Amino acid sequence: EVQLVESGGYLVQPGGSLRLSCAASGFTSSTHWMNWVRQAPGKGLEWVASIKLDGSKIYYVDSVKGRFTISRDHAENSVFLQMNSLRAEDTAVYFCPKSSRGAYDDWGQGTLVTVSS
Amino acid sequence: DIVMTQSPLSLPVTPGEPASISCRSSQSLLRSDGYNYLDWYLQKPGQSPQLLIYLGSSRASGVPDRFSGSASGTDFTLKISRVEAEDVGIYYCMQALQTPITFGQGTRLEIK
C-alpha cells in the first residue's frame, strides 16, 4: 500500500523559509514522478513542482521559480520542497501526490503552511 | 499555459439521478501515444483529492463503475450514472500534457 506523509508546515513570517518533507512508502520505481500541489484556504488546486524520481527532470510553476527547490532522497524515499522568500500568497495546504502516466494516483493528507506577520 | 474551464461550477443533484460535468481545454491534450492527458479528481469535504479517471476515460483502481469519462476533441465529460450521497464534494479536471500542469476551477456537487 502506498503511503505519503507530508510534514514541515508551520507559521512563518513573510520573507522566511520552510522545508517541507514527504515520506513515501509502498513503491520505489524511479519511473514515477513526485509532485507538490497546493490549495490556498477555500480555493482550488494549484500545481507547484514536479521531480522525476531518477532526478533527471524538474519543473516549477512560474510563481515559485527561483524561490522554491524540489529535491529527493532515494535512500530515505523522501521528497522535499525548500521554500524561501515566502509570501502571503504561498499560504496553503501543500500535498505531495505521486504520479504515473501523468495521473496523481496517490495523495497524502497535506501540511499547512501559513505565511503571516 | 493550457487553460482548463469547467462547467457548471455548482451542481445540485437528486440521489439516484445522473450528473455530468464538463471540462474544456484551451488546446488539444492528445499526445503522440494516442492518449488524452486529462484526469478527473474528487475532493470530498475535509479530505485530500482522490483520482477518479485518468487518460480521459480510464477509471482508477477502486472507483465505482457509475463514474465514466469521455473526450471529444478539447471537450471532456465526467458522468455519474446514479449519484449517491457519498459523491458530494468538489470535482476537478486536470491536464497532465505539459507543464505548468493546470486544474479546472472545480465543480461543487451537492445533494438536493
Side-chain angles (χ1 to χ4, degrees):
Chain A
E1 180 192 2
V2 173
Q3 282 198 319
L4 298 163
V5 180
E6 301 93 338
S7 61
Y10 208 70
L11 170 62
V12 62
Q13 291 189 337
S17 298
L18 273 180
R19 186 185 194 226
L20 304 185
S21 300
C22 175
S25 60
F27 72 99
T28 56
S29 172
S30 61
T31 60
H32 290 303
W33 289 70
M34 289 298 295
N35 313 275
W36 287 97
V37 172
R38 65 185 178 184
Q39 187 169 38
K43 302 297 185 183
L45 302 171
E46 180 186 27
W47 171 76
V48 175
S50 296
I51 183 169
K52 196 171 183 184
L53 284 183
D54 64 4
S56 61
K57 296 180 181 179
I58 289 176
Y59 300 102
Y60 300 96
V61 69
D62 281 352
S63 61
V64 309
K65 282 180 183 175
R67 300 190 299 124
F68 290 11
T69 302
I70 189 172
S71 61
R72 91 276 186 259
D73 183 318
H74 250 308
E76 294 186 4
N77 215 23
S78 294
V79 178
F80 308 98
L81 188 67
Q82 177 65 43
M83 310 163 67
N84 299 330
S85 303
L86 282 161
R87 307 166 180 166
E89 54 264 36
D90 296 318
T91 294
V93 174
Y94 285 72
F95 301 97
C96 68
K98 172 180 76 65
S99 57
S100 302
R101 301 194 74 177
Y104 294 175
D105 48 8
D106 291 286
W107 296 67
Q109 83 291 344
T111 187
L112 176 62
V113 172
T114 303
V115 184
S116 174
S117 55
Chain B
D1 298 2
I2 299 176
V3 177
M4 307 299 293
T5 304
Q6 287 183 232
S7 63
L9 299 185
S10 179
L11 183 58
V13 185
T14 301
E17 293 297 303
S20 180
I21 300 171
S22 294
C23 176
R24 175 169 291 177
S25 58
S26 61
Q27 63 189 73
S28 174
L29 303 183
L30 187 64
R31 212 171 77 167
S32 56
D33 58 7
Y35 291 100
N36 281 294
Y37 277 69
L38 184 283
D39 309 317
W40 289 97
Y41 299 87
L42 165 60
Q43 187 172 31
K44 295 183 179 182
Q47 296 186 18
S48 303
Q50 60 185 89
L51 177 66
L52 295 176
I53 302 289
Y54 63 98
L55 297 177
S57 59
S58 297
R59 255 189 315 276
S61 175
V63 174
D65 61 8
R66 64 178 182 275
F67 290 92
S68 64
S70 62
S72 177
T74 58
D75 291 324
F76 300 87
T77 304
L78 175 70
K79 291 184 179 178
I80 309 173
S81 58
R82 295 173 306 279
V83 170
E84 298 186 4
E86 66 180 24
D87 300 335
V88 299
I90 302 176
Y91 290 78
Y92 295 94
C93 61
M94 183 196 88
Q95 67 81 16
L97 180 69
Q98 64 185 51
T99 59
I101 306 299
T102 46
F103 291 87
Q105 317 96 300
T107 295
R108 184 180 299 273
L109 186 148
E110 60 181 43
I111 297 295
K112 281 184 182 176

